[in-house]
Amino acid sequence: MEQGVGARLLRKEDDRYLRGRGQYVADIKLPGTREVAFLRSPLAHARIGDIDIPEDFANRVFTARDLKGVTPIRAVSALPGFKPSDQPPLAEGKVRQVGEPIAMCLGDTRAEAEDVAAAVMVDFEELPAVHDMLQARRPGAALVHEEWGDNVFLETFVDDDIDAAAAKAAVKVTREYRTARQCMAPIEGRAVLAYWDSRMEVLTVYTSTQMPHIVRTGLSECLGLSEENIRVIPPDVGGGFGYKGILLAEEVCLCWLAMQTGHPVRWIEDRREHLTASANCREHHYRITAYADSNGKLLALDAEATVDSGAYSAYPFSACLEAAQVASILPGPYDFEAYRCRTYSVATNKCPILPFRGVARTGVCFAMELTLDAIARELGIEPAEVRLANLVKPGQMPFDNITKKHFDSGDYPEALRRAVAAVDIPAWRKRQAEGEKDGRLIGIGMSIFCEQGAHGTSVYAGWGIPMVPGHEQAGVRMTPDGGLEIRVGVHSHGQSMETTLAQVAHEVLGIDTARIKIVHGDTGLTPYSTGTWGSRSMVMAGGGVATACEQLGDRIKAIAAHLLQAKPEDLRIAGGQVFSGDSSIALNDIARLWYRKPQDLPPDVDTSGLEVTAGYKPKRDSGTFSYAAHAAVIALDPELGDTEILDYVIVEDGGVLVNPMVVDGQVHGGTVQGIGTALYEEMPFDESGQPLASTLADYILPGAAEMPDIRIEHMETPSPYTRFGVKGIGESGAIGPPAAIANAINDALRPLGAEVTDTPMTPRRVLEAIAKAKGTEGEGGQA
Amino acid sequence: MKPAPFEYARAGSIKEASELLARDDITARILAGGQSLGPMLNLRLAQPDLLVDITGIPDLVAAERDGDSLYLGACVSHANVEDGRIPDVTNGALAEVARGIAYRAVRNRGTIGGSLAHCDPAADWPCVLPALGARAVVQGANDKREVAVEELMQAPFEPGLEPGEILAGLRIPAMSPDARWGYYKYCRKTGEFAEAIAAVAWDPARGFARIVIGALDTLPIVLGDNERLFGDTPERKPFDTYRPEEADRMLTDAGVRDPLKRQVHMVALRRALEFASA
Ligand SMILES: Cc1cc2nc3c(=O)[nH]c(=O)nc-3n(C[C@H](O)[C@H](O)[C@H](O)COP(=O)(O)OP(=O)(O)OC[C@H]3O[C@@H](n4cnc5c(N)ncnc54)[C@H](O)[C@@H]3O)c2cc1C
């Protein structure tokens, strides 16, 4: 059976996952472990007065005062004007968000630790809270960080002259959009188990993270402990999506406590902590004016974007990654000449924002694609035509767009044409015109976008955040019986890398994937890496594994050359054998010789051995550009505002696919999350900064029953810069759906003259849009 | 999200349970399926000293036809209703409603009595049981009483039960073969609590008609006085003379000031009526 690049190999990791034998942090039992519960702020903004700890619990409660020598988490950006925020692991003086940890409480069980937390009394002096990012910028707003003088982490400008281009426009549309604050909702929340290993003199930290090496670096900085004395182990991780791409205050606290007490301590995040305390995502606001000619060709774009970054700059991505990204990627896959964009990363009394699958692309795609549809409606032409008038053409590749993004390859118009053909728009238009028996309205919508992935040193160095990816290293080691161990610093938690990286190694060395073991999730065993994020792992770690396997192949050939009495350069490795013409020797035999029968090796053998660590970077590190066109058909109930998805098509180009089945899984999962963004998920806040969806009864996630059959078609345009021509694709699914579904809803609402502009497009928002178009507040008795 | 400490007792009989519940030195609480109480304990919204598990009491899982009605023990699960393991006296209404409650895992444990006793205005049984004219059988340590279900519910999350009293079962009148019912529940997605509920039942042979509007901030609105909704011609099919202005006014009176919310309730009601008259 095919096992190399391109094979639909079944996942190696499924055996343990499907049998419930995964090992997550909460499954790890260490003798003497005590449980931690955090006492968290019930208020969004307040000064902390006395903290009253009952005498019985004196040695079981720890506050900022106890954490001597621990420094705040500080994630700065080198972008000019960035204002840093210090995030103390336990609140000092002031709390700036609901859920901010104030005290760490110990118990033999979590329930007992919560009893202790409930007995601690804190005096608060409540302060006015900043609950909305637009109000936060107004004069007189309360200040999250008083020393700043305002609430803006960072402002950025792209200030081209657009007036000349705009003057030529036949149409001008202006819109405001909002994407709601969301939670990332991995099935496994965060979890930390820390202990001091006195034999190794190493702080050992099991933690549910996507980036173990970055967590180690961050812990070292905050704890003042050198990195060789820290070992970070993420075992199986039950979903990340960006939520686990952070150095946690809780990680710092637990590590301090483990060293302080000498016994293991653990904290398992509960769902309320996940929803309200740790980190949210996605909250953007856009004000956009687009200018186009009478064919819908864009002439100029004028935008202002605001991102609600929350109270603190999260480590390592910082509070400004999202908004700064907006400015550079808003133009999307479109080719136009004049662009102006201002962005604001705003501090509010909410938990920090983290990059969620798709990062800023989901909001950007929403804003841009709704604007293109508004142009299409204004001009009375099909939305696909407006897009075709503006998309970058295959002949322009590689293409540097208006913000200097370097598109590596692809045929964007073809993806759109295929998506349009796959949903059969004329047939739906007919049905739409005839009307549904049940009174529902049919709508057709589409979106197209690009996903810059695996962007490296040059991109991140410009942002100057605590983490800049360099060469991605992978270690490969032949075992004495001819198996292969591969060590990578990225982490696989749903990405199927235990399978796909084995496929890469198989492609180079021909070793059966059953004999290839991927070792990841342990800083003690793997090379340094910034971890799994930014759709980078297949491009970067895949390239690293291929490079290391090639170098291992050279060493194997050097040994084989003696045995086959040939020159190394005349040898060829295939199917687990080294060939010289027709004669061959198996890789296992070479391994056996090297490790176990060295007496049979010639005296002048190459002594480097059968273990290689190699680093890799694509030929250009500005990122791969995968892209997709999404098309959605929906039925909208104008009486209840409810949307049902009738058909959903994705035409996706992720370059060469290492395992198309795995890619389908990634796209499906991301799309479901994107549908969540489109229709269900929202973390609302009241004026005092209280998060209002504190359980999953209030925070609505998409469910299996509501999901359509997602149809995927692949195009495979290789990237000219990467090993095998692969591109990053892990986040793609989550980018397109809000825009495609919003456009479908607006298409359905068109006869009513109504339009939605905010996510999620809840029944309530749809009804409000209809009522607004009718100039009534609602129908009341008209039902 | 772990509960405060509590003791646990599994009662073998209603008498034993009600004695435990009547103790005045501690606060005790009944545990049935735990599908509502469990989350409340975990969120520490409820912190009883003692949980009295009643699911092992044989009388409480009875389901039998008793003359003109069906008697259902309080601990009959939603799933047993859904799967038709109880006699059908409502032309399929009970099974159909049960199927739409939450998810199967919740239905396997959640009980019809627990749901009624919880008095959640957005839950299914507190709307459907009044529409069917069901009566609650309430038992204390020494006495037993029967009361219409809508009278049992005093306020949201407040059943009218005295200390030591248990909701033992429900008596559901059998419908005539040509009786009609309609149920429309609107929720954001499968298994979510309802944004709007309307239940209607209409049994001309018994001279019985009911409309219930639920999922409000208050207890469900129960209308037995069909004249107010249908005018003076109750022998006609429910939808024929349905007067929407009346329902709208009732919703306004019940405190639903927001016109879009009223619209959603009205649509649910109209669809339930359409279902009943189809
Ligand atoms: C995820 C989820 C979704 C849900 N969705 C829905 C839904 O769509 N529709 C819906 O209707 N319900 C829904 N529910 C609630 C579910 O139906 C519960 O089972 C039901 O409300 C309570 O029944 P229970 O047997 O679990 O009661 P418990 O949780 O054990 O008890 C609930 C309350 O009633 C009291 N009590 C229980 N039995 C008696 C008795 N015999 N006499 C006196 N007091 C008693 C208890 O002391 C407690 O106060 C949902 C629950 C969950 C967890």
Side-chain angles (χ1 to χ4, degrees):
Chain A
M1 197 192 54
E2 272 302 313
Q3 295 189 338
V5 168
R8 295 180 163 265
L9 196 66
L10 289 178
R11 302 203 314 163
K12 285 163 69 78
E13 46 270 72
D14 274 342
D15 189 66
R16 73 174 186 281
Y17 287 144
L18 297 181
R19 292 176 207 277
R21 291 178 189 155
Q23 278 262 322
Y24 300 87
V25 174
D27 295 317
I28 295 167
K29 305 266 181 287
L30 296 177
T33 302
R34 299 193 83 196
E35 299 274 346
V36 169
F38 283 91
L39 170 65
R40 294 177 183 275
S41 174
L43 300 174
H45 199 192
R47 268 181 232 299
I48 306 174
D50 289 341
I51 301 179
D52 182 33
I53 300 165
E55 238 160 72
D56 290 356
F57 298 146
N59 53 356
R60 290 169 64 180
V61 179
F62 306 88
T63 65
R65 202 177 299 174
D66 299 302
L67 301 191
K68 300 226 166 53
V70 177
T71 55
I73 296 172
R74 201 175 156 86
V76 296
S77 158
L79 291 175
F82 179 81
K83 301 192 196 83
S85 64
D86 277 352
Q87 179 184 10
L90 292 173
E92 275 180 48
K94 191 164 127 161
V95 285
R96 295 185 179 83
Q97 60 160 98
V98 168
E100 185 163 348
I102 296 173
M104 190 167 28
C105 305
L106 265 181
D108 288 335
T109 63
R110 172 66 179 252
E112 265 184 46
E114 289 186 20
D115 293 346
V116 175
V120 176
M121 294 298 151
V122 183
D123 275 341
F124 292 105
E125 181 201 331
E126 189 164 4
L127 300 168
V130 183
H131 78 287
D132 176 81
M133 58 179 156
L134 298 186
Q135 288 177 22
R137 274 178 50 210
R138 300 209 180 116
L143 295 178
V144 180
H145 299 276
E146 281 99 355
E147 63 280 13
W148 293 4
D150 63 15
N151 286 316
V152 182
F153 276 105
L154 181 72
E155 279 180 58
T156 68
F157 312 97
V158 177
D159 243 340
D160 290 355
D161 175 22
I162 63 163
D163 298 343
K168 287 185 257 159
V171 287
K172 167 185 168 185
V173 301
T174 299
R175 292 287 186 282
E176 282 192 50
Y177 307 106
R178 241 182 209 267
T179 53
R181 209 165 231 263
Q182 274 184 246
C183 303
M184 288 174 252
I187 291 181
E188 183 208 24
R190 269 121 177 212
V192 186
L193 167 63
Y195 72 100
W196 180 258
D197 179 335
S198 54
R199 179 179 69 89
M200 296 293 288
E201 297 192 350
V202 159
L203 171 71
T204 307
V205 194
Y206 292 92
T207 181
S208 186
T209 185
Q210 300 172 224
M211 33 173 63
H213 295 272
I214 298 296
V215 167
R216 178 166 79 159
T217 301
L219 286 173
S220 162
E221 286 169 15
C222 289
L223 297 168
L225 187 67
S226 50
E227 293 205 39
E228 70 277 16
N229 292 324
I230 305 174
R231 180 175 178 193
V232 174
I233 307 176
D236 277 324
V237 167
F241 313 119
Y243 186 60
K244 295 172 182 172
I246 184 178
L247 171 68
L248 288 174
E250 288 86 348
E251 282 165 338
V252 177
C253 290
L254 273 267
C255 288
W256 176 86
L257 190 60
M259 292 193 289
Q260 191 70 20
T261 60
H263 59 69
V265 289
R266 89 171 186 169
W267 164 72
I268 308 292
E269 181 184 68
D270 68 28
R271 205 41 79 173
R272 186 159 50 176
E273 291 177 306
H274 167 67
L275 290 170
T276 62
S278 295
N280 299 154
C281 58
R282 284 279 190 270
E283 192 173 7
H284 295 195
H285 174 269
Y286 296 85
R287 188 174 294 120
I288 289 188
T289 301
Y291 302 85
D293 71 12
S294 56
N295 298 318
K297 172 91 188 88
L298 277 175
L299 300 175
L301 193 70
D302 191 2
E304 181 182 296
T306 310
V307 172
D308 185 328
S309 300
Y312 296 106
S313 179
Y315 187 103
F317 286 110
S318 90
C320 66
L321 172 111
E322 188 114 351
Q325 217 183 54
V326 167
S328 64
I329 65 178
L330 187 64
Y334 299 115
D335 180 16
F336 59 91
E337 304 279 304
Y339 177 52
R340 184 157 65 194
C341 184
R342 253 164 206 267
T343 74
Y344 301 88
S345 303
V346 173
T348 57
N349 290 114
K350 301 178 185 172
C351 58
I353 197 168
L354 282 184
F356 177 35
R357 196 177 204 171
V359 199
R361 302 177 193 95
T362 304
V364 157
C365 174
F366 186 75
M368 198 64 193
E369 294 297 289
L370 266 68
T371 303
L372 285 187
D373 265 39
I375 294 172
R377 277 197 295 281
E378 191 79 22
L379 290 170
I381 52 184
E382 275 285 340
E385 296 307 318
V386 174
R387 288 176 175 78
L388 290 171
N390 290 291
L391 284 170
V392 53
K393 311 236 163 3
Q396 291 173 280
M397 293 295 167
F399 170 69
D400 290 315
N401 82 348
I402 189 156
T403 56
K404 307 281 179 291
K405 291 278 166 192
H406 182 79
F407 288 56
D408 50 354
S409 63
D411 186 345
Y412 289 69
E414 176 64 10
L416 187 74
R417 279 191 292 266
R418 282 210 207 173
V420 164
V423 287
D424 194 356
I425 289 186
W428 282 109
R429 287 270 178 246
K430 186 155 167 277
R431 183 164 155 189
Q432 184 180 42
E434 282 162 3
E436 298 289 286
K437 281 203 191 65
D438 59 9
R440 292 196 298 175
L441 306 169
I442 298 289
I444 305 149
M446 65 194 68
S447 64
I448 182 163
F449 57 88
C450 51
E451 180 194 4
Q452 183 188 17
H455 25 339
T457 317
S458 60
V459 178
Y460 279 83
W463 288 354
I465 59 174
M467 165 204 91
V468 178
H471 285 84
E472 187 74 20
Q473 300 182 102
V476 296
R477 176 203 277 171
M478 264 203 123
T479 60
D481 58 353
L484 192 71
E485 291 170 358
I486 297 181
R487 292 154 204 283
V488 286
V490 291
H491 190 274
S492 180
H493 39 273
Q495 294 82 355
S496 319
M497 281 190 263
E498 292 172 33
T499 305
T500 52
L501 292 179
Q503 289 180 252
V504 167
H506 174 86
E507 182 72 27
V508 179
L509 293 173
I511 298 173
D512 191 323
T513 51
R515 294 295 317 278
I516 301 175
K517 183 165 292 297
I518 308 295
V519 179
H520 64 99
D522 189 338
T523 58
L525 299 176
T526 62
Y528 197 89
S529 167
T530 56
T532 297
W533 54 271
S535 300
R536 66 189 298 277
S537 295
M538 198 63 241
V539 175
M540 300 302 297
V545 168
T547 308
C549 285
E550 278 154 4
Q551 293 184 10
L552 180 65
D554 290 343
R555 296 191 188 175
I556 290 169
K557 283 183 193 164
I559 297 172
H562 291 288
L563 303 164
L564 294 168
Q565 307 203 328
K567 289 201 205 106
E569 55 273 25
D570 293 338
L571 299 180
R572 174 173 67 84
I573 298 179
Q577 312 262 336
V578 189
F579 288 93
S580 161
D582 287 343
S583 47
S584 70
I585 178 165
L587 298 187
N588 323 2
D589 291 331
I590 291 175
R592 192 166 27 232
L593 274 175
W594 174 259
Y595 290 109
R596 304 189 59 190
K597 294 183 91 185
Q599 65 272 30
D600 292 353
L601 292 166
D604 58 344
V605 68
D606 177 345
T607 57
S608 340
L610 298 181
E611 190 167 344
V612 179
T613 298
Y616 167 82
K617 237 189 201 192
K619 287 178 214 148
R620 267 193 78 121
D621 69 4
S622 52
T624 58
F625 280 70
S626 62
Y627 57 97
H630 287 211
V633 181
I634 59 115
L636 182 136
D637 180 337
E639 293 186 318
L640 295 176
D642 206 40
T643 297
E644 185 193 350
I645 301 173
L646 303 179
D647 194 12
Y648 204 96
V649 171
I650 297 173
V651 179
E652 175 82 61
D653 189 344
V656 171
L657 304 180
V658 172
N659 183 329
M661 190 178 62
V662 162
V663 171
D664 284 353
Q666 291 294 308
V667 174
H668 278 137
T671 301
V672 169
Q673 287 174 312
I675 292 173
T677 301
L679 296 175
Y680 302 106
E681 298 185 45
E682 178 169 22
M683 171 57 75
F685 287 77
D686 71 9
E687 301 247 318
S688 67
Q690 283 294 329
L692 298 179
S694 62
T695 73
L696 290 181
D698 302 306
Y699 188 85
I700 304 198
L701 290 166
E706 283 70 35
M707 290 307 109
D709 262 334
I710 299 160
R711 299 192 283 139
I712 303 176
E713 286 185 23
H714 291 292
M715 292 165 57
E716 289 194 52
T717 315
S719 170
Y721 306 128
T722 64
R723 192 67 173 89
F724 308 114
V726 297
K727 295 184 177 187
I729 201 186
E731 303 175 66
S732 165
I735 300 170
I741 293 167
N743 283 335
I745 290 176
N746 286 339
D747 184 50
L749 289 176
R750 198 174 168 183
L752 307 178
E755 214 181 279
V756 289
T757 51
D758 298 349
T759 69
M761 284 131 334
T762 56
R764 174 81 197 183
R765 287 206 171 92
V766 170
L767 291 182
E768 281 172 357
I770 294 173
K772 189 171 152 218
K774 285 189 178 154
T776 62
E777 282 178 82
E779 295 195 65
Q782 297 306 303
Chain B
M1 276 215 270
K2 298 284 180 206
F6 58 81
E7 298 289 321
Y8 170 89
R10 192 166 166 84
S13 67
I14 295 185
K15 191 165 158 46
E16 187 192 335
S18 58
E19 280 167 8
L20 287 169
L21 290 163
R23 278 175 59 178
D24 50 18
D25 54 334
I26 54 166
T27 56
R29 192 119 185 206
I30 292 175
L31 175 71
Q35 297 304 293
S36 296
L37 187 52
M40 288 163 67
L41 291 169
N42 282 341
L43 292 166
R44 299 195 174 204
L45 295 172
Q47 304 198 8
D49 301 307
L50 173 69
L51 285 186
V52 181
D53 184 341
I54 58 169
T55 53
I57 300 173
D59 290 350
L60 297 186
V61 288
E64 65 220 358
R65 180 89 193 226
D66 176 11
D68 285 343
S69 61
L70 170 71
Y71 180 80
L72 278 188
C75 288
V76 169
S77 69
H78 310 325
N80 278 341
V81 179
E82 173 184 15
D83 295 349
R85 283 198 204 89
I86 59 160
D88 176 22
V89 300
T90 58
N91 300 346
L94 289 180
E96 179 64 25
V97 170
R99 189 170 304 131
I101 298 175
Y103 313 94
R104 182 69 194 197
V106 173
R107 299 199 287 274
N108 282 338
R109 289 194 159 263
T111 67
I112 192 166
S115 181
L116 185 66
H118 191 50
C119 295
D120 182 341
D124 293 78
W125 294 127
C127 298
V128 174
L129 292 171
L132 298 175
R135 296 177 68 75
V137 178
V138 175
Q139 208 166 322
N142 306 310
D143 49 356
K144 198 172 183 173
R145 63 189 173 100
E146 250 188 66
V147 51
V149 290
E150 60 273 23
E151 282 164 36
L152 180 77
M153 297 186 282
Q154 305 255 291
F157 307 104
E158 275 181 39
L161 293 170
E162 298 299 323
E165 275 191 333
I166 294 171
L167 171 62
L170 295 154
R171 215 178 286 292
I172 298 162
M175 282 184 173
S176 326
D178 55 355
R180 313 298 302 251
W181 57 269
Y183 186 65
Y184 194 88
K185 170 162 86 157
Y186 173 57
C187 43
R188 295 274 310 277
K189 70 167 212 215
T190 308
E192 258 349 281
F193 274 95
E195 309 273 318
I197 287 178
V200 303
W202 185 63
D203 192 346
R206 282 164 51 230
F208 178 87
R210 279 274 168 100
I211 283 184
V212 177
I213 301 174
L216 308 169
D217 292 337
T218 58
L219 286 176
I221 300 174
V222 181
L223 265 160
D225 165 16
N226 32 7
E227 207 176 293
R228 199 167 158 206
L229 278 171
F230 304 129
D232 52 5
T233 51
E235 71 282 358
R236 287 163 61 182
K237 280 188 175 182
F239 194 44
D240 290 355
T241 51
Y242 161 62
R243 303 218 312 254
E245 330 72 73
E246 268 301 319
D248 191 52
R249 192 164 313 134
M250 279 167 6
L251 283 163
T252 310
D253 292 348
V256 189
R257 302 253 178 280
D258 179 73
L260 289 176
K261 280 196 179 155
R262 279 207 309 283
Q263 173 179 327
V264 170
H265 288 293
M266 297 282 299
V267 170
L269 175 56
R270 199 195 66 225
R271 291 184 185 178
L273 287 163
E274 279 168 1
F275 185 88
S277 42

